[in-house]
Amino acid sequence: MELDDTRRAILASTGHVLIEGGPGCGKTTIALLKALDALGGLEAAQRVLFLSFSRAAVRQITDRMGGLFSASARARLEVRTFHAFFLELVRSHGRLLTGRPAAFITPDRERELRADFGGDKDAWSVECQRMAAEEGRYVFDLLADTAATLLEDSSAVRGLYSSIYPLVIVDEFQDTNIDQWRAVRELSQASTVICLADPDQRIFGHLPGVDEERIAHAVAHLQPACFDLSKDNHRSPEGGLLGYANAVLHNTPLAVPDGVRTLTYVQRWGALPVEIRTHQAVIALREHLRGELGREPTLAVLATTNGLVGRISEKISVENVTARGVLPPVEHDLHWDPELAAAAGFVVASLLEWPALPREEALAKTLRAVADFYRTKFARGTAGARAKIQTIERAITALAEGKPARAKTAHALLAAYDAGLKLTGQPITDWQEARAYLRGSAELEELSKQVRMLRLLNATDTLALALTHAWDGSDAYADAAAAVRRALASDQLTLPEQNTAAVSLMSMHRSKGKEFDGVVIAEGAHHSRLLDTAWDEERIRANRRLLRVAITRARHMVVFVRPEDAVPLIPRVAKPATVPGGA
């Protein structure tokens, strides 16, 4: 690898470092090279710590290590998500704050508990602080604050971690929130910190504690050596994608490069909807890149909302017939909402307990799981979820009092129980049998759709193993709901990211940290617009930053699928004026 003067200066630097640059500029690679250079000076028990936000980014960094590090060197570079690192720190040392061992409330359980506070954020915040202080139980959002407090208040803890990790690399530094920055700041007292940042990829500014001045804070506090790699692009140097993404970000005129194509559709009866047009785009892009690359390409379909991503997934999973021919099904992975799918899975698991439970107990348990599913939806701000929770809770109360339940969901489940559920001890077959009972009401139909996502979320093996251990040997799966809950929650912060599938579907936010040969960006005609003239300036700027991230996920080509009336992403390039009498 040939290094330019800037990269040689980065490797030669001895203190804190800030490296800025866009996607594909080589920030991660030069940081890994600096880590490799540092390993020779470490003691036997010391490690280099590389912190990032997502499992996808961790997987990508780990993959890059393969070409640079020997097996022994790889073992001495710990690539962790912030939350996995903070979870370990709090579990190990949380007793210093409360006098009792620290426990972690899984995200699905947290959402259920939060829903019972009816949207009162202040009351829920007080409850979280109470559980932490009095019970040593921590919700997801308190991990960073608690870890930072431990590092601030205990010089012994701070010294321990700095002695283990004398070099700390922080990826996507521009998106760190106040608590993550507090932790990094404390470690920087004795550890060397390298910050990797791209100010134009700050797409999580809507989250609490994320500050657009974070890079300035690092410069003021760390006084690092600063390096700018923003002019470099190693991901898509020939396709003009980074230049186009920057033009979209800044709304500046640019001739559209060959690596960017647009398919349009008309939103009217009889016209091809966005889902079918996207199906066409995926097949066309795949065939084009196969020819260009001489191999099977990796593709991503991105959209601004999970709803549109889900509808596209349903359409491309089956054969579709158009006037231009037949579109074959496209095998793909759906990077969906794992917590919502898991909540639906707990309902199915409760059904697997039915043969061993009395009627009222079985129905109450399943109805509580249904209510918890809608608590998860309520936590996401889904309209109508609170009313459904109340309806189901009334049905549970009625059953307990021996009164008839009015809810259609309760009637459907009572009929299903009375019909009898015969289980065989074969987890996958029994799961499918139980899932088929989710019918007879709109709520159960919605659950059925969501629980199917568990297959696409690569959870099948996890569920099968958990249920195998839960089988009672004759009729039912003992305490199956708890077993499935433990299985799906286990190591959810630390499990490695799955290999990139040939075709992946996800939201634009979820795509950050990933790379693909080609990207299809789908825009709906209503609630999943890319841009809208009715939006305020801040929302437009935020979506332009998000678009830049989505476009730069591609190495070779981006295809937009947009309604005909879509707002242009960049101004048109003015045509040269015609010179009178000239050629």
Side-chain angles (χ1 to χ4, degrees):
M1 180 179 293
E2 293 186 9
L3 301 177
D4 58 15
D5 291 342
T6 301
R7 286 166 174 79
R8 282 194 290 270
I10 292 173
L11 292 180
S13 62
T14 56
H16 303 309
V17 174
L18 170 65
I19 306 174
E20 294 187 75
C25 73
K27 298 189 300 294
T28 302
T29 300
I30 194 61
L32 289 174
L33 286 174
K34 191 162 180 63
L36 183 61
D37 193 46
L39 291 180
L42 299 186
E43 297 178 8
Q46 290 183 318
R47 304 285 186 269
V48 172
L49 178 62
F50 198 124
L51 292 174
S52 194
F53 281 91
S54 67
R55 288 182 295 154
V58 167
R59 175 58 186 265
Q60 184 184 88
I61 294 161
T62 304
D63 288 346
R64 291 185 186 181
M65 286 168 54
L68 298 171
F69 286 53
S70 65
S72 59
R74 285 199 297 272
R76 304 191 69 187
L77 175 60
E78 291 188 18
V79 186
R80 316 276 296 276
T81 64
F82 274 102
H83 284 98
F85 177 65
F86 292 153
L87 177 62
E88 178 197 84
L89 197 158
V90 173
R91 277 179 171 165
S92 299
H93 306 286
R95 187 190 292 269
L96 295 173
L97 297 176
T98 64
R100 64 182 69 208
F104 173 56
I105 300 173
T106 59
D108 62 280
R109 182 58 181 155
E110 177 187 339
R111 276 182 289 275
E112 293 166 6
L113 292 172
R114 185 170 65 234
D116 288 335
F117 284 79
D120 188 335
K121 294 181 180 179
D122 291 337
W124 171 243
S125 179
V126 170
E127 173 64 8
C128 290
Q129 296 292 341
R130 186 201 66 77
M131 289 190 293
E134 297 179 9
E135 303 173 13
R137 294 200 301 152
Y138 298 93
V139 298
F140 188 86
D141 288 340
L142 276 185
L143 283 177
D145 173 49
T146 306
T149 300
L150 280 166
L151 292 171
E152 289 170 342
D153 293 353
S154 173
S155 59
V157 172
R158 185 171 63 248
L160 172 65
Y161 278 87
S162 284
S163 68
I164 297 172
Y165 305 113
L167 176 61
V168 179
I169 303 171
V170 185
D171 195 22
E172 304 287 2
F173 180 77
Q174 75 281 349
D175 280 329
T176 51
N177 65 27
I178 182 60
D179 296 322
Q180 291 159 344
W181 165 233
R182 285 169 56 209
V184 171
R185 188 175 59 201
E186 291 306 309
L187 290 172
S188 74
Q189 292 188 41
S191 299
T192 299
V193 173
I194 299 175
C195 299
L196 311 180
D198 179 1
D200 292 331
Q201 281 205 82
R202 190 177 58 82
I203 63 173
F204 295 107
H206 59 286
L207 297 179
V210 177
D211 192 329
E212 64 181 5
E213 298 298 320
R214 183 70 65 226
I215 294 174
H217 298 159
V219 171
H221 184 83
L222 302 177
Q223 297 184 1
C226 298
F227 300 93
D228 185 0
L229 304 181
S230 59
K231 294 182 179 179
D232 298 336
N233 175 23
H234 304 292
R235 181 177 299 171
S236 56
E238 305 300 328
L241 296 181
L242 180 58
Y244 180 76
N246 287 334
V248 171
L249 173 67
H250 299 294
N251 194 27
T252 54
L254 181 78
V256 178
D258 291 338
V260 177
R261 308 289 175 86
T262 300
L263 299 181
T264 61
Y265 64 93
V266 180
Q267 191 69 15
R268 67 166 183 263
W269 178 257
L272 292 179
V274 59
E275 297 86 355
I276 300 297
R277 203 72 167 117
T278 303
H279 197 166
Q280 290 177 326
V282 169
I283 290 174
L285 180 58
R286 183 171 61 186
E287 291 303 314
H288 173 78
L289 290 178
R290 276 175 179 165
E292 289 286 319
L293 304 177
R295 59 173 171 80
E296 192 68 21
T298 57
L299 305 182
V301 179
L302 311 179
T304 58
T305 65
N306 281 327
L308 179 54
V309 172
R311 295 198 304 275
I312 292 170
S313 175
E314 290 181 3
K315 278 295 182 182
I316 71 174
S317 296
V318 299
E319 181 181 278
N320 287 292
V321 180
T322 72
R324 295 185 178 181
V326 176
L327 302 175
V330 175
E331 288 289 331
H332 62 277
D333 276 355
L334 178 63
H335 297 250
W336 189 246
D337 186 333
E339 291 82 14
L340 199 59
F346 303 150
V347 177
V348 176
S350 75
L351 301 182
L352 296 175
E353 301 178 25
W354 277 8
L357 297 177
R359 187 173 188 260
E360 287 72 19
E361 182 181 349
L363 268 296
K365 194 165 189 176
T366 297
L367 284 170
R368 281 195 293 270
V370 174
D372 287 343
F373 170 82
Y374 282 99
R375 286 188 174 93
T376 302
K377 295 203 73 175
F378 177 78
R380 285 156 170 70
T382 303
R386 184 65 177 170
K388 291 181 178 180
I389 295 169
Q390 293 170 340
T391 299
I392 295 164
E393 293 287 1
R394 284 194 293 268
I396 294 171
T397 301
L399 286 172
E401 295 174 351
K403 299 176 181 178
R406 297 182 180 181
K408 195 172 182 180
T409 294
H411 284 292
L413 290 173
L414 284 167
Y417 182 92
D418 292 340
L421 178 60
K422 302 295 182 183
L423 304 176
T424 65
Q426 300 297 316
I428 301 302
T429 302
D430 290 341
W431 181 272
Q432 293 169 343
E433 180 73 15
R435 189 182 66 194
Y437 277 53
L438 298 179
R439 61 178 185 268
S441 75
E443 290 79 15
L444 294 178
E445 294 289 347
E446 181 177 8
L447 278 160
S448 181
K449 288 182 180 180
Q450 284 292 340
V451 81
R452 283 184 170 87
M453 299 300 176
L454 286 175
R455 176 183 61 83
L456 297 170
L457 290 165
N458 302 299
T460 304
D461 292 342
T462 300
L463 293 175
L465 181 60
L467 292 174
T468 297
H469 292 307
W471 177 244
D472 67 3
S474 58
D475 300 309
Y477 293 83
D479 209 12
V484 169
R485 184 185 295 273
R486 287 193 298 269
L488 294 179
S490 175
D491 297 327
Q492 70 173 43
L493 296 179
T494 56
L495 283 174
E497 179 80 358
Q498 297 292 324
N499 288 325
T500 300
V503 180
S504 301
L505 272 64
M506 67 195 76
S507 69
M508 292 162 68
H509 277 94
R510 196 176 286 269
S511 73
K512 190 173 183 181
K514 297 180 171 67
E515 293 181 20
F516 307 90
D517 292 317
V519 168
V520 177
I521 300 176
E523 177 177 6
H526 302 294
H527 301 298
S528 48
R529 291 277 189 175
L530 299 178
L531 293 175
D532 195 313
T533 55
W535 294 346
D536 59 43
E537 284 300 316
E538 180 50 41
R539 184 175 178 185
I540 291 174
R541 283 195 297 270
N543 259 45
R544 287 191 178 278
R545 286 195 296 268
L546 185 59
L547 276 164
R548 181 178 183 266
V549 169
I551 294 166
T552 55
R553 297 312 90 201
R555 301 185 188 96
H556 301 284
M557 180 168 282
V558 173
V559 178
F560 287 93
V561 178
R562 310 193 70 199
E564 280 194 343
D565 64 348
V567 176
L569 299 182
I570 58 175
R572 295 181 183 276
V573 176
K575 293 182 179 180
T578 302
V579 179

